[in-house]
Amino acid sequence: MNRRLSLLSAVFALLILSPIRTVSGREADSSPEAAVVSREPGACDTLRQGDLVENDLMTLRRTSDDVVLEVAGFGITLSSREWLQPADPEQPRSRVSPTLLSGSEYGFIIPTGLDYGAYPTGSDRFFDLRSGKSFHLASTLIGLKVEMGRRRLFQFATGLRYTIDNYRLSDPSLTLGNDAGMVIPVTLDERADKSKLRVTSLGLPLGFSCQAARNLSVSVTGYFDFTMGANAIYKRPKVKNPLAGVNTFRFGVGVAVAYHSIGVYVRYSVTPLFEDRKGPGVRPLSIGLCLDI
């Protein structure tokens, strides 16, 4: 802990308390000769060349333009001049920018349009869900944003999106299986702690957003998802079995409203979750919180 505090103190002294100079572990020299202040306009070099901090753990020293932090034999060059230079107002900001882990969604799943027409009487309702326990997680791993319009009020976004959908069954004494290519309920020998269907997918979202007011944005997104895996899972202990019958490709639409990049979203799957006549007719609806739309 003392070593970590020593490292943090050194960096803090470099960035905030640069006029204070400590050489080789001795007390700071408070004499006027200890610091050399540049008289050049815009210059921020207030320290004389030499070692700032040196001990068994690290060395912090200054060259003509940079500050070098050495820890356990590894050196990090810190260009303080570049940090303190203001942005060039004449240099236009790019309209195209990459993103990382953007457009994240955290919400619950609500089944809509449930139809058991392909099943005999008495075997329906097995895909009834516990909506409070059925959740949706999604995030664009890497993406691209393009600002449009003279005032840059409009934005187009796309990328590679990873999604996890957990469908928690209301009846934990059942799990899902396949019979003749059709999704069917399978009764467990003992009641499980939980039983669910987990679907993971990778997709390409196409989103369009606009700044409706100050710090308030509205977006509309089309989702093009490709199923990577579908597994029926129950815990007693955990048992996971692959499940066929989930649509390989699914298309959905979504709307989000955010203030300061935090908001709410609604997402609806236009494509049914299961293939035609291979499972219940259900189109999932998801609602929850979104970040950085």
Side-chain angles (χ1 to χ4, degrees):
M1 180 62 70
N2 292 335
R3 292 187 175 183
R4 294 181 179 177
L5 291 176
S6 178
L7 178 58
L8 292 175
S9 299
V11 177
F12 182 80
L14 167 65
L15 299 179
I16 307 300
L17 305 177
S18 58
I20 299 177
R21 180 170 178 264
T22 304
V23 181
S24 301
R26 293 175 295 179
E27 293 183 0
D29 187 357
S30 59
S31 63
E33 293 80 5
V36 177
V37 180
S38 174
R39 302 299 181 185
E40 297 179 5
C44 57
D45 188 2
T46 61
L47 296 178
R48 199 169 63 185
Q49 296 183 19
D51 288 342
L52 299 176
V53 176
E54 182 177 358
N55 53 38
D56 295 337
L57 176 64
M58 63 184 177
T59 300
L60 191 63
R61 57 186 176 82
R62 188 179 184 86
T63 64
S64 58
D65 294 323
D66 302 326
V67 174
V68 179
L69 176 64
E70 295 182 356
V71 181
F74 296 92
I76 303 176
T77 301
L78 309 175
S79 300
S80 57
R81 290 181 184 270
E82 296 180 3
W83 289 355
L84 298 178
Q85 285 181 353
D88 186 0
E90 302 298 329
Q91 184 68 24
R93 181 167 57 91
S94 175
R95 291 177 176 267
V96 181
S97 59
T99 62
L100 182 66
L101 296 178
S102 63
S104 301
E105 297 172 347
Y106 310 90
F108 299 101
I109 298 174
I110 303 172
T112 65
L114 266 173
D115 179 14
Y116 295 94
Y119 293 87
T121 304
S123 62
D124 55 357
R125 303 190 63 84
F126 66 87
F127 200 70
D128 286 1
L129 303 181
R130 295 184 63 182
S131 297
K133 298 292 185 177
S134 301
F135 62 87
H136 162 87
L137 300 175
S139 183
T140 300
L141 304 180
I142 54 174
L144 199 66
K145 288 186 177 181
V146 181
E147 295 176 329
M148 298 176 291
R150 184 174 61 86
R151 299 177 58 187
R152 305 190 182 208
L153 298 180
F154 304 96
Q155 188 178 89
F156 171 79
T158 187
L160 190 63
R161 190 174 188 81
Y162 183 70
T163 302
I164 300 176
D165 290 317
N166 277 278
Y167 302 88
R168 181 83 169 265
L169 301 183
S170 296
D171 188 352
S173 65
L174 299 177
T175 187
L176 301 179
N178 291 107
D179 182 25
M182 192 170 184
V183 177
I184 61 170
V186 177
T187 302
L188 300 174
D189 296 334
E190 298 178 10
R191 186 183 180 90
D193 294 333
K194 62 179 66 174
S195 180
K196 61 184 178 180
L197 168 65
R198 175 179 294 172
V199 179
T200 58
S201 57
L202 200 62
L204 182 70
L206 300 178
F208 179 80
S209 63
C210 67
Q211 186 174 341
R214 183 178 178 83
N215 299 322
L216 181 68
S217 60
V218 179
S219 70
V220 178
T221 305
Y223 301 94
F224 303 84
D225 294 329
F226 296 88
T227 300
M228 298 177 59
N231 294 278
I233 302 172
Y234 62 92
K235 294 188 176 182
R236 196 200 50 192
K238 183 176 180 179
V239 178
K240 180 171 69 173
N241 297 309
L243 184 72
V246 175
N247 263 315
T248 303
F249 169 79
R250 287 173 291 133
F251 170 71
V253 293
V255 178
V257 179
Y259 181 75
H260 279 296
S261 298
I262 302 177
V264 295
Y265 80 92
V266 176
R267 172 174 171 169
Y268 176 72
S269 180
V270 178
T271 305
L273 175 63
F274 297 105
E275 297 179 18
D276 186 35
R277 309 295 294 181
K278 290 187 177 182
V282 56
R283 289 176 169 83
L285 174 71
S286 176
I287 183 170
L289 298 178
C290 59
L291 301 177
D292 190 26
I293 65 171

